Amino acid sequence: MLRISCPWCGPRDEPEFRWGGEVPVLRPGPPEAVSDSAWAQYLFVRDNPKGWVRERWVHAFGCRQWLIVVRNTVTHEIRATARLTEPLPEVTP
Amino acid sequence: MLEHRTPFDSIREGEDPGSATIARELIVTPVRDKGLLLLQSACLQALQTALEREIGLRLPPAQQASWHGPYVLLWQTPAQWLLQLPARECDSIGAALSDRLASALAAITDFSDALVALEVGGAGLADVFMSGCSLDLRADAFPPGRVARTSLADVPAILWNPGGSDRIHCLIERGFETHLFAWLKGTATR
Ligand SMILES: [Zn+2]
């Protein structure tokens, strides 16, 4: 089980949180100018790296705030968490 | 109309002295005659001023409660607080706060019927609760005035310490009390 340190509530167990996907994933636009392949890329394709990744999580059972988590997909180590209003934490090892 | 009875109904109706002793001296007492107002605003200064002038309360920091007389304010999120107050004052104070916040972006919602408040006390309290949530609820880690929103026995719960090391107040969504009562009983007697 992961222990995630919520920037507002402190360390809590993983079942209190919901995973919200990799960041950043930027919506392309304007819609009428975006090709089908670019939309598909935006909707379905993720980097899914082996190693460090930045993810969005929400503290669903706690303060209900979204946060950024820097997690290693191999070891599940969590290096940093941050509020969405803070600069994105670095992911380079 | 279907009759919906919960294990706490007998406590409310006074069939016993007002609380239920579950096991290992774990005592559950419904918090009576209290109303709840959910205060939501990102305009902290306006909310602070309204609360201070109306009931003499200050906004508590994250994960904390503040209280003054019969009024208790529980931190919920960076822009949400739960005000517990005497039930008979719920309408008047809700209206007075709304008036004071008329020019701010704020919402005040009567939550009295949405949540059930229980006081749980007894020697086995921390052990029982800690088997159902991820918080350290021992006295030094969860001191008086501390508030946490968490998951207790797989249901959303607000826990806070009203003072002392042997009781915790627990607010859960109405409808979950049968489950919580059964879980407390099962866990405490295990
Ligand atoms: Zn949180």
Side-chain angles (χ1 to χ4, degrees):
Chain A
M1 167 138 32
L2 301 178
R3 284 282 278 179
I4 299 172
S5 188
C6 171
W8 290 270
C9 307
R12 299 290 184 91
D13 286 356
E14 180 191 344
E16 290 196 9
F17 296 83
R18 294 287 174 269
W19 184 77
E22 283 175 25
V23 287
V25 176
L26 300 177
R27 182 190 172 100
E32 61 278 11
V34 179
S35 66
D36 286 352
S37 66
W39 271 122
Q41 187 80 18
Y42 164 65
L43 291 171
F44 305 116
V45 181
R46 297 292 178 264
D47 289 342
N48 194 23
K50 185 177 179 180
W52 291 104
V53 62
R54 289 179 294 198
E55 300 171 324
R56 215 178 264 132
W57 290 70
V58 62
H59 193 186
F61 277 95
C63 60
R64 307 200 183 170
Q65 304 300 296
W66 285 90
L67 57 145
I68 304 292
V69 174
V70 181
R71 181 175 69 92
N72 191 306
T73 55
V74 178
T75 63
H76 285 306
E77 180 190 345
I78 289 174
R79 185 199 283 159
T81 56
R83 302 177 184 201
L84 293 193
T85 50
E86 294 171 334
L88 269 183
E90 290 300 319
V91 287
T92 45
Chain B
M1 190 190 205
L2 285 173
E3 190 187 15
H4 174 69
R5 287 188 64 83
T6 77
F8 298 109
D9 287 340
S10 64
I11 306 174
R12 286 195 202 100
E13 290 161 9
E15 289 169 16
D16 62 27
S19 56
T21 301
I22 292 181
R24 271 209 267 167
E25 296 171 5
L26 200 69
I27 302 160
V28 180
T29 312
V31 175
R32 291 187 181 79
D33 303 324
K34 296 287 186 189
L36 292 166
L37 293 174
L38 182 71
L39 317 178
Q40 299 181 86
S41 180
C43 308
L44 300 191
Q45 193 53 55
L47 185 57
Q48 172 72 72
T49 306
L51 283 166
E52 228 164 337
R53 297 202 174 141
E54 198 58 41
I55 48 179
L57 259 183
R58 289 199 63 78
L59 284 177
Q63 302 188 76
Q64 297 288 327
S66 59
W67 53 81
H68 178 73
Y71 310 110
V72 180
L73 196 54
L74 306 172
W75 181 87
Q76 297 291 284
T77 79
Q80 272 186 3
W81 296 262
L82 203 54
L83 174 63
Q84 185 177 280
L85 70 176
R88 64 182 182 284
E89 294 179 32
C90 215
D91 288 346
S92 59
I93 289 183
L97 287 173
S98 292
D99 285 348
R100 288 186 185 274
L101 289 164
S103 59
L105 190 60
I108 295 170
T109 314
D110 190 335
F111 251 54
S112 308
D113 292 328
L115 301 173
V116 176
L118 304 165
E119 179 176 295
V120 187
L125 170 67
D127 286 344
V128 170
F129 270 49
M130 281 160 59
S131 66
C133 76
S134 68
L135 294 167
D136 186 349
L137 295 173
R138 288 169 297 185
D140 50 343
F142 201 74
R146 186 72 196 278
V147 179
R149 249 169 105 153
T150 186
S151 148
L152 175 67
D154 298 318
V155 298
I158 300 157
L159 306 179
W160 72 282
N161 183 341
S165 58
D166 56 353
R167 62 194 178 121
I168 283 178
H169 276 213
C170 172
L171 294 109
I172 51 166
E173 289 169 24
R174 191 172 295 280
F176 283 138
E177 62 261 52
T178 305
H179 161 73
L180 186 71
F181 197 90
W183 178 83
L184 283 171
K185 203 167 185 172
T187 306
T189 51
R190 200 179 297 150

